[in-house]
Amino acid sequence: MIRELRPLGLVDAAKFAKVDPFELIRIEVGLGTQIERLAWSKDRLAVVARDGGIEAVWLDPAKMPTTAAGRIREAFGELVRRGFVGTKPTRVDNLTRGLPLGEGDRIRRAAPLMADEGFLLMVSGPLGALVAVRPGMESQVSAIAAGTAESRALRDAMAE
Amino acid sequence: MTTASAKPASVTGSIDEVVRWRAGEEVGLRNEIDALDREIDEMRAAMAALSERLEARQSARSTLDSRVRTIANSGTIRAYQALFAALAEQAAAISERSGLVAAEEFARNSNLETSLMASSGSLFEEYRQFKVTVEPTLSGLPESYRKVLLAHHAELAAKVRSVVESAVESIHPLGAETLEIDVVWGMDSPDGTPDLLVMVVPADESVATGWADRGDDVDLWLAARVVQGLSEALLAGGLAGVRPALGGHRGLLAIEVDLADARPDFGAVLAAALTRVFAAAPELDEARVKVTPRQVDLDWLLPPESTEGSGA
């Protein structure tokens, strides 16, 4: 019982916040927190998630595609659906929520390359790496998500 | 009367006299020329000898230059090998220290539960009863009752958490010798402006990607504090958007940061941030791990290129 009442250690806190421990530290530094103990209450983690822009869920589990390729494409399509366009970005790691590690890695690798291709915008700030759809590219990104258009970067990332 | 008149000079005599004069002059000049020629020959011989000596010296100088370059290269290779050998030993000691900390933590948790139950047993018992007997029945209660119970439980839970937190926050240094370790970094600053930072931490490289399986240990705490110090330095240095890349090198955690547009004093900012963070890390204090940040030549952190493995 004592264990469940204790603040979470670094690994449990990171798992709870759905980021890696080093990202949790970086977000706290970005929020201006003086990190004393490497321990977090769930209340504090809720604040970190809110202020750090961490989404609990990205793709709706009930509507998640059954193939890895489909899930990776949809992760980018969700940017359009949620309106993360232009000056309204979201964390890149939000796109990986709920996906297996390998699929998350492919999304992280593909995002900057898709930005190079002109489909996305990427910016890095104190709270992490952020991504948004480049204005005017919404329909293209939706088509890539649907598999009716192609991004070479995404295709290469999925093939690796 | 006949007077004696001077005999006119004969042509032959006059010419002979000229010839004698000329021959005499010529002998004298010839002697001078011969003397000069001898001197010139001697000088030429001396010059040839000097030239030979010069060539020999130049060759010797070139050999020494080459040896200096070889020694500089060997020195860098030796520094790289010595540094990573020392850091590997430190990493092994950290790993061993993690084991001691885990054993201590286990024992402390057992004692903590006993002591908390002794000091605040009624609070814990009430909390336990709610979780075991009341909570499962909540869904069957009218909402107004449920709200009252949940509000009361939230109040109780806050009290219980506060008791637990104050108990676990006290620092209990490990009964072991202080472990002194180094976190090293090097920077490339071609025009006095840093543009690349490489850090090496004496922690197992698997903390970067295998943290979920490893769990909390001294390696991870050390790595996290390094990332904290680095992130604070980047923020203070106006580089908040820069993302450090974590990976491994020779089994140790290595961090690489592209420092484009960094201020020339970034090294000092980083050293100050790391020193401050390490000094205020209670978990490292408890583990009796003293960390010193050290800046070294960047070449000592990069694998030797062509001569790697030469054993120089």
Side-chain angles (χ1 to χ4, degrees), chain B residues 86-164:
Chain B
L87 291 175
E89 278 185 27
Q90 292 183 7
I94 289 280
S95 172
E96 195 178 319
R97 184 56 52 99
S98 282
L100 289 179
V101 169
E104 177 76 12
E105 183 76 4
F106 182 78
R108 195 188 303 164
N109 282 344
S110 308
N111 294 336
L112 181 71
E113 184 139 6
T114 310
S115 75
L116 284 175
M117 291 307 282
S119 64
S120 312
S122 58
L123 270 183
F124 286 96
E125 182 52 27
E126 200 180 333
Y127 181 90
R128 191 192 64 78
Q129 278 184 16
F130 176 85
K131 298 296 275 183
V132 174
T133 60
V134 180
E135 198 170 52
T137 64
L138 280 178
S139 58
L141 294 176
E143 192 179 348
S144 57
Y145 281 81
R146 195 164 59 235
K147 273 186 178 168
V148 169
L149 284 171
L150 283 173
H152 175 72
H153 179 69
E155 210 173 289
L156 175 72
K159 274 186 204 164
V160 170
R161 281 203 176 86
S162 166
V163 168
V164 172

Side-chain angles (χ1 to χ4, degrees), chain A residues 23 25-27 29-32 91 123-130, chain B residues 227-244 257-263 266 269:
Chain A
E23 191 65 11
I25 297 284
R26 284 194 288 261
I27 293 172
V29 171
L31 293 173
R91 302 177 58 83
V123 61
S124 199
L127 299 179
L130 308 176
Chain B
V227 169
Q228 181 191 348
L230 174 59
S231 302
E232 289 184 6
L234 290 170
L235 200 58
L239 299 169
V242 170
R243 313 296 299 161
V257 189
D258 181 354
L259 287 178
D261 303 325
R263 294 185 338 210
F266 182 76
V269 173

Side-chain angles (χ1 to χ4, degrees), chain A residues 11-154:
Chain A
V11 167
D12 287 338
K15 286 178 178 172
F16 188 85
K18 298 187 170 68
V19 291
D20 79 48
F22 307 107
E23 191 65 11
L24 176 58
I25 297 284
R26 284 194 288 261
I27 293 172
E28 285 283 34
V29 171
L31 293 173
T33 308
Q34 296 292 318
I35 305 172
E36 291 166 4
R37 284 196 166 267
L38 294 178
W40 283 261
S41 68
K42 289 180 180 171
D43 290 344
R44 174 63 203 163
L45 290 170
V47 172
V48 169
R50 185 194 65 208
D51 296 351
I54 300 171
E55 303 278 351
V57 177
W58 189 246
L59 295 178
D60 181 349
K63 296 177 187 166
M64 201 164 321
T66 52
T67 65
R71 288 188 289 272
I72 291 169
R73 286 178 181 280
E74 276 300 310
F76 288 100
E78 190 69 10
L79 283 170
V80 181
R81 274 191 289 278
R82 294 198 189 201
F84 289 115
V85 179
T87 55
K88 189 192 166 196
T90 187
R91 302 177 58 83
V92 174
D93 55 18
N94 280 338
L95 276 63
T96 69
R97 304 275 174 248
L99 299 182
L101 286 178
E103 292 173 26
D105 284 346
R106 286 179 172 85
I107 288 170
R108 281 193 197 86
R109 277 202 302 274
L113 300 173
M114 288 176 71
D116 290 344
E117 286 182 319
F119 296 119
L120 305 177
L121 292 173
M122 285 202 71
V123 61
S124 199
L127 299 179
L130 308 176
V131 63
V133 176
R134 184 182 288 273
M137 285 291 166
E138 296 91 326
S139 57
Q140 287 272 41
V141 172
S142 294
I144 290 167
T148 55
E150 197 54 275
S151 151
R152 188 173 174 179
L154 184 59

